[in-house]
Amino acid sequence: MASHARVASTTVTTRDAARDTAHDGAHDGAHSAAVAGDGGAASVRVGIALFLAALCAFATFDAFCKQMLATYSSPFMNLMRYVATSTIAAFWLARQARHGVSLRLWRAPHRGLLLARSVALACVATAFMTALTIMPLAEATAIYFTSPLIMVALSPWLLGERVGPMQWTAVIAGFAGMLLIVRPGGDLPWTGAVLMAIAAVSYAFFQLLTRRLSGLVAAPVQYAYMAVVCLVITGTPALFALPAAWPGWPQLLLLLAGGACSGVAQLLLLAAFRRAQASILAPLNYLQLMLAVLISTFWFDRPPDTVALAGIALIMGSGAWLALRRHNTRAGAPGGGASAPSR
């Protein structure tokens, strides 16, 4: 989930990478510098392919969660997700330990920022998963995708970045799109809309903290720290919301496989950002929102109405314009602008 990180997803900011860290997750800021000198066309094509695979994985995970939430509680779904993600993180960290990466997460540098970043993603996961129990997938994802607009709005105060009039216009247009989705008199539950707004704001802070940590902490350490903290925070409520009948092994393995899908999506995002610049990948992120609309329409038989579709289009257009503008700015002035994010 665009949560659903959600490490991830990657949309525009002046906002990751890859969800979850990649939607679950994923963060682009830590890798933008690494790919700056990697201009090979083949590498960029591979990066784009990996990024698209990550978006499909995130969209699949969100749809899977929406389906399974009819049977299991949102805390239990998050527990399964982060058990799987923590297992992936443990294997990755153990492998990287042979190359000098420390296994002692409690001794990692910048622990305060790492903890704040992980708590922000735990808030994303909790709010997003809870909202999915009562919100249609398309509208929920669209509200979540206002996160890059929130990042642009916050960047002058939190990052000291300049936001021009055209960028502010795009931000206002995107927020107008959100208002069309959650308009008074519509049939969306306000509780779900508020939870998705909390998820979007939390993910914006997650990406801001990801950018602060860029180049300071190794990616496997950030990923593992995130997985463990999210497991503890989202897993604790699950102890009070366990299913009445414990799932059998086939169902349990299916739930863990769904969680692994989110964790793998984060790794795909990280791999994508090592091969292509965030400014190239960010505009593609809105394909995930299109997938959410299609899945909501044809899988769950819950298409957005005409007004909501107009709102979704405004959010997509505003975010994509900001991403493309960022790419053009970087093309003309290397190093300028801000990082693109992920889920």
Side-chain angles (χ1 to χ4, degrees):
M1 37 207 133
S3 79
H4 341 309
R6 287 273 87 256
V7 268
S9 266
T10 296
T11 43
V12 66
T13 116
T14 49
R15 164 221 129 73
D16 123 61
R19 148 198 209 244
D20 194 51
T21 295
H23 223 274
D24 81 171
H27 53 273
D28 75 341
H31 300 280
S32 295
V35 300
D38 187 4
S43 177
V44 171
R45 285 195 294 270
V46 172
I48 291 173
L50 290 169
F51 188 75
L52 293 176
L55 297 185
C56 290
F58 278 128
T60 300
F61 174 71
D62 289 347
F64 172 78
C65 290
K66 180 67 176 173
Q67 183 73 43
M68 300 307 290
L69 283 167
T71 305
Y72 300 104
S73 68
S74 57
F76 185 72
M77 289 298 298
N78 271 327
L79 176 64
M80 293 294 98
R81 174 187 187 180
Y82 285 111
V83 165
T85 302
S86 296
T87 303
I88 294 172
F91 278 107
W92 188 22
L93 197 60
R95 182 175 180 180
Q96 293 300 310
R98 293 180 293 180
H99 304 289
V101 176
S102 175
L103 294 174
R104 300 177 179 179
L105 296 180
W106 59 91
R107 293 187 178 178
H110 307 284
R111 290 186 296 276
L113 287 176
L114 283 170
L115 179 60
R117 174 179 179 272
S118 302
V119 169
L121 192 62
C123 291
V124 173
T126 301
F128 192 102
M129 195 73 75
T130 305
L132 269 188
T133 62
I134 54 176
M135 286 278 287
L137 181 62
E139 287 89 335
T141 306
I143 296 172
Y144 180 71
F145 266 68
T146 60
S147 184
L149 307 175
I150 295 170
M151 275 205 66
V152 174
L154 292 176
S155 61
W157 294 276
L158 298 182
L159 296 176
E161 294 177 350
R162 181 182 177 276
V163 177
M166 294 300 294
Q167 290 170 291
W168 280 117
T169 301
V171 169
I172 293 170
F175 286 145
M178 183 176 70
L179 291 176
L180 288 177
I181 295 172
V182 300
R183 64 195 182 277
D187 59 353
L188 291 183
W190 275 93
T191 303
V194 170
L195 284 170
M196 287 311 309
I198 291 172
V201 172
S202 298
Y203 193 72
F205 278 104
F206 169 80
Q207 286 293 344
L208 287 167
L209 291 166
T210 295
R211 293 181 59 190
R212 288 283 301 276
L213 286 164
S214 175
L216 300 178
V217 180
V221 174
Q222 292 193 46
Y223 186 90
Y225 213 99
M226 171 276 301
V228 172
V229 172
C230 286
L231 176 61
V232 172
I233 294 178
T234 66
T236 300
L239 299 177
F240 304 96
L242 295 175
W246 193 259
W249 278 109
Q251 190 81 346
L252 191 61
L253 290 175
L254 178 63
L255 291 167
L256 291 172
C261 178
S262 170
V264 169
Q266 298 289 347
L267 298 182
L268 289 171
L269 279 180
L270 293 173
F273 283 111
R274 285 197 295 269
R275 292 165 175 81
Q277 294 184 23
S279 56
I280 294 174
L281 299 177
L284 302 175
N285 198 57
Y286 286 87
L287 292 174
Q288 184 184 336
L289 182 48
M290 293 178 63
L291 285 174
V293 172
L294 292 174
I295 291 171
S296 185
T297 300
F298 295 106
W299 184 344
F300 296 106
D301 195 26
R302 182 57 167 82
D305 61 26
T306 303
V307 178
L309 278 174
I312 291 171
L314 271 175
I315 292 172
M316 290 179 63
S318 301
W321 182 86
L322 285 169
L324 290 169
R325 182 185 183 281
R326 168 180 152 70
H327 175 57
N328 294 334
T329 300
R330 281 197 164 186
S339 306
S342 72
R343 261 175 49 127

